[in-house]
Amino acid sequence: MSPLMMVRRIGFYVVIAVLMAFFAVPMLWLASAPFDSKPGLGLRWPDWTLDNVKTTFEHPYALASLWNSLVICVVATAITATFAALAAYALSRVRIPGRDLMLYVLLLLSSVVTGTAAMVPIFVMMFQLGLINSQFGTALVIAGGMLPAAIFILKDFVDSVPRSYEESARVFGASPFQVLTHVVLPVARPGIATILVWAFVNAWGNFLLPFLLIREVGKQPGAVLLRTLQDEGGSANLTVIPVFSLLYSIPVVVLYVLVNKRYGFRFHGGIKS
């Protein structure tokens, strides 16, 4: 091996080590700080204790905010997956002039609909509809922002389902709805699983919309409550934040592991006729 190749290889491994440390250090802090009697922003061997867990459970809003997050995410994910499946099937099977252009325009606008540029009109609309402090209304807005991208992703899975499957079902008298629910969607289950996890993760970590639309602390999700976890001096409450952060990460990790184990993840269909 020439000296130049050796230097390149060493540099490659150094870069990989730095990147791994960049992602590993926060994970190590998240795993150790909840059980440290004197948690700090640095990484050190913890002085093991369960007092932080007890303090977090005694917080008046910590566990309730996790439940609020779960409610908002389940509603937003269900709406996104249901309407994305219906729209993706329709766009895949019905020839509409300008269909592909419409999909790309919707995908482009989806990055703006729930962005900061649209916060004022969204807030005014929700205020006029009486949906301020409504978890369902917040979930509806979140789902509306995710829907175009979900349709765009799921349509490719539906396109990969051979039309001969549907024709065979129709021969035996299946209705269009039965074709969709009993033939198309079961074959496109990996796509549905991908959309479910993607939508849940996006809704779970959404901060801006719940922060603007939910004003009552008792109804706010964990992403919003996390910024208010302060001590008497106004500093970050490092007794509650590590435990709360660990609890906050568990649902997403569990959902990812379960779905990945059963279906795997891919962003394109895999069946060709």
Side-chain angles (χ1 to χ4, degrees):
M1 182 181 296
S2 66
L4 181 59
M5 292 182 62
M6 183 175 297
V7 171
R8 288 180 177 176
R9 177 162 296 184
I10 293 174
F12 173 77
Y13 286 125
V14 169
V15 172
I16 295 297
V18 171
L19 292 176
M20 290 181 63
F22 180 79
F23 290 102
V25 169
M27 296 297 101
L28 292 174
W29 181 88
L30 184 62
S32 62
F35 310 102
D36 191 350
S37 60
K38 296 180 180 180
L41 297 178
L43 185 63
R44 68 182 184 90
W45 186 258
D47 182 12
W48 300 101
T49 181
L50 294 177
D51 291 341
N52 298 342
V53 178
K54 180 181 178 181
T55 302
T56 303
F57 284 179
E58 292 175 350
H59 191 279
Y61 300 113
L63 297 182
S65 69
L66 294 176
W67 172 255
N68 295 336
S69 293
L70 189 61
V71 170
I72 293 174
C73 290
V74 169
V75 174
T77 301
I79 294 174
T80 301
T82 301
F83 285 94
L86 296 174
Y89 179 68
L91 291 172
S92 175
R93 295 300 188 255
V94 179
R95 296 296 178 182
I96 302 175
R99 178 188 60 184
D100 295 336
L101 177 61
M102 180 178 64
L103 281 173
Y104 282 107
V105 170
L106 286 175
L107 184 63
L108 177 63
L109 292 178
S110 66
S111 61
V112 179
V113 169
T114 57
T116 54
M119 287 300 99
V120 173
I122 287 177
F123 182 85
V124 172
M125 179 183 67
M126 298 298 285
F127 179 78
Q128 293 176 345
L129 293 175
L131 293 178
I132 298 296
N133 287 324
S134 169
Q135 294 177 343
F136 175 77
T138 302
L140 192 62
V141 175
I142 294 174
M146 297 188 296
L147 194 56
I151 296 173
F152 186 84
I153 296 172
L154 195 56
K155 179 181 174 296
D156 190 64
F157 286 89
V158 178
D159 287 341
S160 67
V161 179
R163 293 177 181 267
S164 58
Y165 291 6
E166 301 175 52
E167 294 169 357
S168 300
R170 291 194 181 97
V171 168
F172 287 95
S175 65
F177 183 76
Q178 290 175 324
V179 170
L180 173 63
T181 56
H182 296 159
V183 178
V184 178
L185 293 185
V187 176
R189 279 183 296 182
I192 299 294
T194 300
I195 293 301
L196 288 175
V197 176
W198 172 82
F200 188 91
V201 170
N202 276 273
W204 187 261
N206 195 302
F207 166 79
L208 186 58
L209 280 171
F211 176 71
L212 291 176
L213 300 180
I214 300 179
R215 314 308 300 170
E216 294 182 16
V217 180
K219 294 183 178 180
Q220 290 178 343
V224 178
L225 182 71
L226 187 60
R227 68 176 292 275
T228 66
L229 296 179
Q230 300 174 344
D231 55 24
E232 292 80 358
S235 301
N237 189 344
L238 294 180
T239 301
V240 176
I241 288 178
V243 180
F244 185 80
S245 299
L246 183 61
L247 295 174
Y248 186 72
S249 64
I250 290 176
V252 173
V253 174
V254 171
L255 180 64
Y256 173 82
V257 171
L258 292 178
V259 174
N260 185 55
K261 182 178 180 180
R262 183 172 179 83
Y263 299 110
F265 287 99
R266 60 178 186 263
F267 288 88
H268 56 84
I271 298 178
K272 301 297 180 184
S273 58

